[in-house]
């Protein structure tokens, strides 16, 4: 059973930066595709960024391209989301997700089988 634990969320002002981490345990992390999603109150859970097992392919939502960077360290079983130039509209609970197929990036929540508990990111104007 794969377990995912996010950390790094917080409260900050617009324009600031934050790095989220997601530590995985169980299974074979180095073979998983990983993704970050976010969910604001009253809204659906949206794709933010995804990465293949090797890290060679990444994909981003248009709203975060050029500001967010997803990366992974397979030796540490950890995936990261570096968030720069944060905006109030980035405020949400951010979730880490894993899928057993790691050769391409999936953008729909239903394509991921494992989820973390989420970490809150609040950006004030």
């Amino acid at each position: 059973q794969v377990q995912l634990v996010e950390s790094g969320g917080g409260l900050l002002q617009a324009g600031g930066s934050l790095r989220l981490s997601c530590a995985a345990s169980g299974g074979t992390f180095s073979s998983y595709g990983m993704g970050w999603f976010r969910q604001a109150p009253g809204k659906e859970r949206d794709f933010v960024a995804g990465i293949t097992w090797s890290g060679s392919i990444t994909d981003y939502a248009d709203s975060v391209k050029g500001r967010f960077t997803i990366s992974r360290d397979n030796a540490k079983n950890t995936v990261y989301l570096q968030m720069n130039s944060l905006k109030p509209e980035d405020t949400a609970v951010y979730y880490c997700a894993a899928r057993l197929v790691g050769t391409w990036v999936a953008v729909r929540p239903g394509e991921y089988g494992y989820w973390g508990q989420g970490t809150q990111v609040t950006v004030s104007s």
Side-chain angles (χ1 to χ4, degrees):
Q1 184 75 6
V2 178
Q3 293 185 327
L4 304 172
V5 179
E6 302 99 333
S7 61
L11 170 65
L12 71 166
Q13 291 187 330
S17 297
L18 207 59
R19 189 177 82 157
L20 304 183
S21 299
C22 173
S25 60
T28 308
F29 175 81
S30 59
S31 68
Y32 297 155
M34 300 298 296
W36 286 97
F37 289 76
R38 66 187 181 187
Q39 188 167 18
K43 296 189 176 182
E44 295 184 348
R45 189 168 298 188
D46 292 331
F47 172 78
V48 175
I51 190 168
T52 53
W53 70 273
S54 65
S56 61
I57 301 173
T58 58
D59 195 12
Y60 298 90
D62 288 343
S63 60
V64 307
K65 280 181 181 177
R67 300 189 298 123
F68 290 12
T69 302
I70 187 172
S71 62
R72 67 189 296 161
D73 186 338
N74 287 342
K76 295 183 178 180
N77 288 357
T78 302
V79 63
Y80 305 97
L81 185 67
Q82 177 67 44
M83 305 186 293
N84 299 328
S85 302
L86 281 160
K87 305 174 181 180
E89 50 264 44
D90 294 318
T91 295
V93 176
Y94 283 72
Y95 296 91
C96 171
R99 60 194 303 266
L100 299 184
V101 177
T103 53
W104 49 279
V105 176
V107 301
R108 293 177 295 183
E111 296 177 285
Y112 290 80
Y114 304 96
W115 293 85
Q117 81 289 350
T119 185
Q120 177 70 46
V121 172
T122 303
V123 184
S124 63
S125 57

